[in-house]
Amino acid sequence: MARKPRLHAPGGLYHVILRGNAREDVFLTQADRRYFYDLLAEGVERFGYRVHAFCLMTNHLHLALQAGESSLSAGMQNLSFRYTRHLNARLDRIGHVFQGRFKAFLVDHDRYGLALVRYLHLNPVRSRMVSHPGGYAWSSHRAYVGQEVLAWLTTNWILGQFGNQLDPARRRFAAFVDAGARDGHSEVFYGGQADGRVVGEEDFLKKVLPKHETIRKPPSLKQIVAYVCEGYGLTEDALSAQGRGRQTAQARALAAWLAIQLRSCALTEVAEHFSRSPSTLSHQIANLEKLSRSPGEIADALRKHLYAIMQA
């Protein structure tokens, strides 16, 4: 079954998760984590999202992000791609760092926002890495309680719910987090039964799903073909012709890859449109998919195409 498209809600709060490929470590040194901090700081400026909370574990990480007007996917793809490039360059290797695409759950911030931040801050405690959240150096908890300054972290929305004066608000927030220390793992923050992309009750679902499902409908195959033809300077008829020119073959493969990535239609429909066999296109799509997951200029270009066609 095809995955549902991501929900893009400008101003919405998301629980974002990135896991290490094959459960391998993604942060090996303090310098790695500091570099990831720099990428988050840059993302705040470049993509307009806000970081309300985070926790960098050893083989995975959690973020509580508020989306800006730009697609959250663009920011997260840039983040994961650039960190992968950094780590692979430092270790003189190639390959995946993260397991598949990032997970993002749209959260009812009124009902679950505070609880999500507490849940993230207590992750190292649940994992028995530390006995108290303040003892873990790589989450946003220390910044919330005044032990660290991170200019790119937004704390006023959360702390503002504990009072108008900063120091008392910090103390109340710390007590709130401590009160949840005995809570175990919760599936609540990993999507609901009604819709796996959302953390919220029925009233929240009714408010966000119809609106954003309509707004973020994937582009049609016709739109994708037109986009690719414009970029390559080709006519639509040329993509279906029997000739095997290199440029035409590359354009056809890109259009097919975009259509499958964006779940615009089934492979058989793409094959019929281009008068090609599904097996031939499947092979070409697989090649591009492999390239998209490897560091380099081609992967960067493919991600730019995905973002561009979604904004068209």
Side-chain angles (χ1 to χ4, degrees):
M1 181 181 294
R3 291 176 295 195
K4 294 181 179 179
R6 294 193 189 278
L7 295 172
H8 175 57
L13 178 67
Y14 288 82
H15 176 201
V16 175
I17 306 169
L18 279 164
R19 299 189 183 278
N21 189 44
R23 299 185 179 181
E24 293 182 351
D25 291 350
V26 295
F27 299 110
L28 306 180
T29 67
Q30 291 186 11
D32 289 336
R33 290 179 167 90
R34 289 295 179 189
Y35 183 79
F36 196 85
Y37 279 14
D38 291 341
L39 292 179
L40 285 173
E42 184 179 323
V44 168
E45 294 296 323
R46 181 177 175 184
F47 296 99
Y49 57 73
R50 294 182 179 181
V51 183
H52 287 285
F54 67 90
C55 185
L56 309 186
M57 299 294 281
T58 304
N59 64 1
H60 70 283
L61 63 102
H62 297 262
L63 304 169
L65 299 183
Q66 183 179 5
E69 291 298 322
S70 298
S71 166
L72 190 64
S73 292
M76 292 302 98
Q77 287 168 2
N78 179 269
L79 180 72
S80 61
F81 169 70
R82 294 183 62 192
Y83 184 77
T84 294
R85 186 171 60 184
H86 153 79
L87 192 61
N88 283 342
R90 189 173 71 75
L91 299 177
D92 190 22
R93 71 180 192 188
I94 60 173
H96 306 310
V97 169
F98 295 109
Q99 178 182 314
R101 67 177 194 164
F102 71 96
K103 295 185 180 298
F105 306 95
L106 179 60
V107 178
D108 182 347
H109 60 83
D110 291 331
R111 192 169 294 171
Y112 291 103
L114 285 176
L116 173 63
V117 172
R118 176 165 72 178
Y119 184 77
L120 267 56
H121 286 187
L122 287 171
N123 206 10
V125 178
R126 288 191 302 273
S127 300
R128 299 182 181 179
M129 300 173 72
V130 293
S131 59
H132 186 271
Y136 192 70
W138 306 107
S139 82
S140 47
H141 187 79
R142 291 167 59 84
Y144 267 91
V145 299
Q147 297 176 351
E148 185 177 12
V149 176
L150 297 172
W152 46 269
L153 179 69
T154 298
T155 61
N156 58 344
W157 175 65
I158 293 294
L159 290 178
Q161 298 182 60
F162 291 92
N164 296 324
Q165 295 183 327
L166 183 58
D167 288 339
R170 284 173 168 167
R171 290 194 295 269
R172 294 179 189 123
F173 171 80
F176 168 74
V177 174
D178 290 343
R182 294 186 178 181
D183 297 341
H185 172 81
S186 175
E187 288 295 327
V188 169
F189 303 108
Y190 298 84
Q193 293 183 350
D195 191 294
R197 300 167 295 173
V198 176
V199 176
E201 309 301 332
E202 280 194 24
D203 56 341
F204 183 67
L205 289 172
K206 291 178 180 178
K207 181 168 63 175
V208 299
L209 285 185
K211 177 181 178 181
H212 295 294
E213 292 280 25
T214 300
I215 292 176
R216 303 305 299 177
K217 184 178 179 181
S220 66
L221 178 58
K222 183 177 180 180
Q223 290 174 306
I224 292 172
V225 170
Y227 166 81
V228 171
C229 285
E230 181 179 0
Y232 277 82
L234 298 170
T235 65
E236 294 187 20
D237 289 340
L239 291 189
S240 301
Q242 293 303 312
R244 294 187 178 183
R246 183 176 180 181
Q247 184 183 36
T248 304
Q250 288 177 343
R252 188 164 49 241
L254 174 60
W257 181 79
L258 288 171
I260 298 305
Q261 281 288 308
L262 297 169
R263 297 175 296 281
S264 298
C265 58
L267 177 61
T268 52
E269 185 178 343
V270 181
E272 182 180 355
H273 182 88
F274 291 133
S275 301
R276 294 297 188 278
S277 70
S279 60
T280 298
L281 283 181
S282 178
H283 179 70
Q284 293 173 339
I285 291 169
N287 286 339
L288 281 183
E289 180 62 17
K290 183 178 180 180
L291 289 171
S292 75
R293 295 178 179 276
S294 302
E297 294 182 0
I298 295 178
D300 198 21
L302 289 171
R303 290 186 178 90
K304 288 180 179 179
H305 282 308
L306 277 173
Y307 178 69
I309 189 63
M310 287 300 295
Q311 305 307 311

